[in-house]
Short mmCIF file of all heavy atoms in Angstrom, two decimals:
data_model
loop_
_atom_site.label_atom_id
_atom_site.label_comp_id
_atom_site.label_asym_id
_atom_site.label_seq_id
_atom_site.Cartn_x
_atom_site.Cartn_y
_atom_site.Cartn_z
N SER A 1328 -10.66 30.00 -24.63
CA SER A 1328 -11.08 31.32 -25.13
C SER A 1328 -11.02 32.32 -24.00
O SER A 1328 -11.65 32.15 -22.94
CB SER A 1328 -12.50 31.22 -25.69
OG SER A 1328 -12.54 30.39 -26.82
N ALA A 1329 -10.24 33.36 -24.21
CA ALA A 1329 -10.02 34.35 -23.16
C ALA A 1329 -9.14 35.45 -23.73
O ALA A 1329 -8.66 35.38 -24.85
CB ALA A 1329 -9.31 33.73 -21.94
N MET A 1330 -8.94 36.51 -22.90
CA MET A 1330 -7.93 37.53 -23.20
C MET A 1330 -6.66 37.12 -22.49
O MET A 1330 -6.67 36.86 -21.28
CB MET A 1330 -8.42 38.88 -22.73
CG MET A 1330 -7.38 39.98 -22.85
SD MET A 1330 -7.26 40.58 -24.53
CE MET A 1330 -8.60 41.79 -24.49
N TYR A 1331 -5.57 37.09 -23.19
CA TYR A 1331 -4.28 36.75 -22.59
C TYR A 1331 -3.45 38.05 -22.49
O TYR A 1331 -3.16 38.70 -23.49
CB TYR A 1331 -3.56 35.70 -23.42
CG TYR A 1331 -4.23 34.37 -23.27
CD1 TYR A 1331 -5.34 34.04 -24.07
CD2 TYR A 1331 -3.84 33.45 -22.31
CE1 TYR A 1331 -5.99 32.84 -23.92
CE2 TYR A 1331 -4.50 32.24 -22.15
CZ TYR A 1331 -5.59 31.94 -22.93
OH TYR A 1331 -6.25 30.77 -22.78
N LEU A 1332 -3.16 38.42 -21.26
CA LEU A 1332 -2.49 39.69 -20.96
C LEU A 1332 -1.04 39.44 -20.55
O LEU A 1332 -0.72 38.49 -19.86
CB LEU A 1332 -3.21 40.41 -19.83
CG LEU A 1332 -4.61 40.92 -20.10
CD1 LEU A 1332 -5.31 41.21 -18.81
CD2 LEU A 1332 -4.54 42.16 -20.97
N CYS A 1333 -0.19 40.33 -20.99
CA CYS A 1333 1.20 40.30 -20.61
C CYS A 1333 1.52 41.58 -19.86
O CYS A 1333 0.97 42.64 -20.18
CB CYS A 1333 2.07 40.19 -21.87
SG CYS A 1333 3.84 40.28 -21.57
N ALA A 1334 2.37 41.50 -18.86
CA ALA A 1334 2.79 42.70 -18.12
C ALA A 1334 4.28 42.60 -17.86
O ALA A 1334 4.86 41.50 -17.83
CB ALA A 1334 2.05 42.80 -16.80
N SER A 1335 4.92 43.72 -17.68
CA SER A 1335 6.34 43.71 -17.32
C SER A 1335 6.59 44.68 -16.19
O SER A 1335 5.79 45.61 -15.95
CB SER A 1335 7.21 44.03 -18.53
OG SER A 1335 7.10 45.37 -18.94
N SER A 1336 7.67 44.46 -15.47
CA SER A 1336 8.04 45.34 -14.37
C SER A 1336 9.54 45.24 -14.14
O SER A 1336 10.20 44.32 -14.64
CB SER A 1336 7.27 44.97 -13.08
OG SER A 1336 7.78 43.77 -12.54
N LEU A 1337 10.01 46.20 -13.38
CA LEU A 1337 11.43 46.17 -12.98
C LEU A 1337 11.47 45.78 -11.53
O LEU A 1337 10.91 46.47 -10.67
CB LEU A 1337 12.03 47.59 -13.18
CG LEU A 1337 13.54 47.71 -13.00
CD1 LEU A 1337 14.29 46.80 -13.98
CD2 LEU A 1337 13.96 49.16 -13.20
N ARG A 1338 12.08 44.68 -11.26
CA ARG A 1338 12.14 44.14 -9.91
C ARG A 1338 12.71 45.17 -8.94
O ARG A 1338 13.65 45.85 -9.22
CB ARG A 1338 13.02 42.89 -9.85
CG ARG A 1338 12.90 42.13 -8.53
CD ARG A 1338 13.83 40.98 -8.51
NE ARG A 1338 13.64 40.18 -7.32
CZ ARG A 1338 14.50 39.27 -6.87
NH1 ARG A 1338 15.64 39.09 -7.53
NH2 ARG A 1338 14.25 38.59 -5.79
N ALA A 1339 12.09 45.20 -7.76
CA ALA A 1339 12.48 46.08 -6.67
C ALA A 1339 12.02 47.51 -6.88
O ALA A 1339 12.27 48.36 -6.04
CB ALA A 1339 13.99 46.08 -6.43
N GLU A 1340 11.31 47.76 -7.97
CA GLU A 1340 10.69 49.06 -8.13
C GLU A 1340 9.33 49.05 -7.47
O GLU A 1340 8.76 47.99 -7.20
CB GLU A 1340 10.53 49.40 -9.63
CG GLU A 1340 11.86 49.77 -10.31
CD GLU A 1340 12.41 51.08 -9.77
OE1 GLU A 1340 11.63 52.02 -9.58
OE2 GLU A 1340 13.63 51.14 -9.53
N PRO A 1341 8.77 50.21 -7.18
CA PRO A 1341 7.40 50.24 -6.65
C PRO A 1341 6.47 49.46 -7.58
O PRO A 1341 6.65 49.43 -8.76
CB PRO A 1341 7.06 51.72 -6.65
CG PRO A 1341 8.34 52.40 -6.58
CD PRO A 1341 9.33 51.54 -7.30
N ASN A 1342 5.45 48.85 -7.03
CA ASN A 1342 4.65 47.95 -7.84
C ASN A 1342 3.82 48.67 -8.87
O ASN A 1342 3.18 48.03 -9.69
CB ASN A 1342 3.81 47.00 -6.98
CG ASN A 1342 2.87 47.79 -6.07
OD1 ASN A 1342 2.52 48.91 -6.36
ND2 ASN A 1342 2.44 47.15 -5.01
N TYR A 1343 3.82 49.98 -8.87
CA TYR A 1343 3.20 50.60 -10.03
C TYR A 1343 4.07 50.53 -11.26
O TYR A 1343 3.75 51.04 -12.29
CB TYR A 1343 2.79 52.04 -9.73
CG TYR A 1343 3.87 52.97 -9.19
CD1 TYR A 1343 4.88 53.42 -10.00
CD2 TYR A 1343 3.83 53.42 -7.90
CE1 TYR A 1343 5.85 54.27 -9.53
CE2 TYR A 1343 4.79 54.27 -7.39
CZ TYR A 1343 5.80 54.69 -8.21
OH TYR A 1343 6.75 55.53 -7.73
N GLY A 1344 5.20 49.79 -11.13
CA GLY A 1344 6.00 49.51 -12.30
C GLY A 1344 5.43 48.42 -13.17
O GLY A 1344 5.98 48.10 -14.22
N TYR A 1345 4.31 47.82 -12.74
CA TYR A 1345 3.63 46.83 -13.60
C TYR A 1345 2.96 47.57 -14.75
O TYR A 1345 2.07 48.34 -14.55
CB TYR A 1345 2.58 46.07 -12.82
CG TYR A 1345 3.09 45.01 -11.88
CD1 TYR A 1345 3.61 45.34 -10.64
CD2 TYR A 1345 3.05 43.67 -12.25
CE1 TYR A 1345 4.07 44.37 -9.77
CE2 TYR A 1345 3.53 42.69 -11.38
CZ TYR A 1345 4.03 43.05 -10.14
OH TYR A 1345 4.49 42.07 -9.30
N THR A 1346 3.40 47.27 -15.94
CA THR A 1346 2.77 47.82 -17.15
C THR A 1346 2.18 46.68 -17.97
O THR A 1346 2.90 45.76 -18.34
CB THR A 1346 3.78 48.59 -18.00
OG1 THR A 1346 4.38 49.63 -17.20
CG2 THR A 1346 3.11 49.23 -19.18
N PHE A 1347 0.91 46.79 -18.24
CA PHE A 1347 0.23 45.75 -18.98
C PHE A 1347 0.13 46.12 -20.46
O PHE A 1347 0.02 47.30 -20.80
CB PHE A 1347 -1.17 45.54 -18.45
CG PHE A 1347 -1.25 44.76 -17.18
CD1 PHE A 1347 -1.05 45.36 -15.96
CD2 PHE A 1347 -1.50 43.40 -17.21
CE1 PHE A 1347 -1.10 44.64 -14.77
CE2 PHE A 1347 -1.57 42.66 -16.04
CZ PHE A 1347 -1.37 43.28 -14.83
N GLY A 1348 0.14 45.07 -21.30
CA GLY A 1348 -0.17 45.27 -22.71
C GLY A 1348 -1.66 45.26 -22.92
O GLY A 1348 -2.44 45.10 -21.95
N SER A 1349 -2.09 45.42 -24.16
CA SER A 1349 -3.52 45.46 -24.47
C SER A 1349 -4.12 44.06 -24.64
O SER A 1349 -5.33 43.92 -24.79
CB SER A 1349 -3.75 46.29 -25.72
OG SER A 1349 -3.41 47.63 -25.48
N GLY A 1350 -3.28 43.04 -24.62
CA GLY A 1350 -3.78 41.69 -24.63
C GLY A 1350 -3.96 41.07 -26.00
O GLY A 1350 -3.98 41.78 -27.02
N THR A 1351 -4.07 39.77 -26.02
CA THR A 1351 -4.44 38.99 -27.20
C THR A 1351 -5.74 38.30 -26.88
O THR A 1351 -5.80 37.50 -25.91
CB THR A 1351 -3.38 37.94 -27.57
OG1 THR A 1351 -2.18 38.60 -27.97
CG2 THR A 1351 -3.87 37.07 -28.71
N ARG A 1352 -6.76 38.58 -27.68
CA ARG A 1352 -8.06 37.91 -27.46
C ARG A 1352 -8.11 36.65 -28.30
O ARG A 1352 -8.05 36.69 -29.53
CB ARG A 1352 -9.21 38.82 -27.80
CG ARG A 1352 -10.56 38.16 -27.52
CD ARG A 1352 -11.74 39.10 -27.58
NE ARG A 1352 -11.65 40.13 -26.55
CZ ARG A 1352 -11.95 39.92 -25.25
NH1 ARG A 1352 -12.33 38.72 -24.86
NH2 ARG A 1352 -11.89 40.90 -24.39
N LEU A 1353 -8.20 35.50 -27.63
CA LEU A 1353 -8.27 34.21 -28.30
C LEU A 1353 -9.70 33.69 -28.31
O LEU A 1353 -10.35 33.65 -27.27
CB LEU A 1353 -7.40 33.18 -27.60
CG LEU A 1353 -7.49 31.75 -28.11
CD1 LEU A 1353 -6.98 31.64 -29.54
CD2 LEU A 1353 -6.74 30.80 -27.18
N THR A 1354 -10.15 33.30 -29.48
CA THR A 1354 -11.46 32.65 -29.61
C THR A 1354 -11.24 31.30 -30.26
O THR A 1354 -10.68 31.19 -31.35
CB THR A 1354 -12.41 33.48 -30.51
OG1 THR A 1354 -12.56 34.78 -29.93
CG2 THR A 1354 -13.77 32.82 -30.59
#
Side-chain angles (χ1 to χ4, degrees):
Chain A
S1328 295
M1330 173 78 85
Y1331 289 84
L1332 293 163
C1333 175
S1335 70
S1336 73
L1337 187 61
R1338 190 183 186 198
E1340 286 294 317
N1342 59 23
Y1343 53 72
Y1345 283 79
T1346 303
F1347 282 84
S1349 295
T1351 294
R1352 182 167 296 283
L1353 173 66
T1354 303

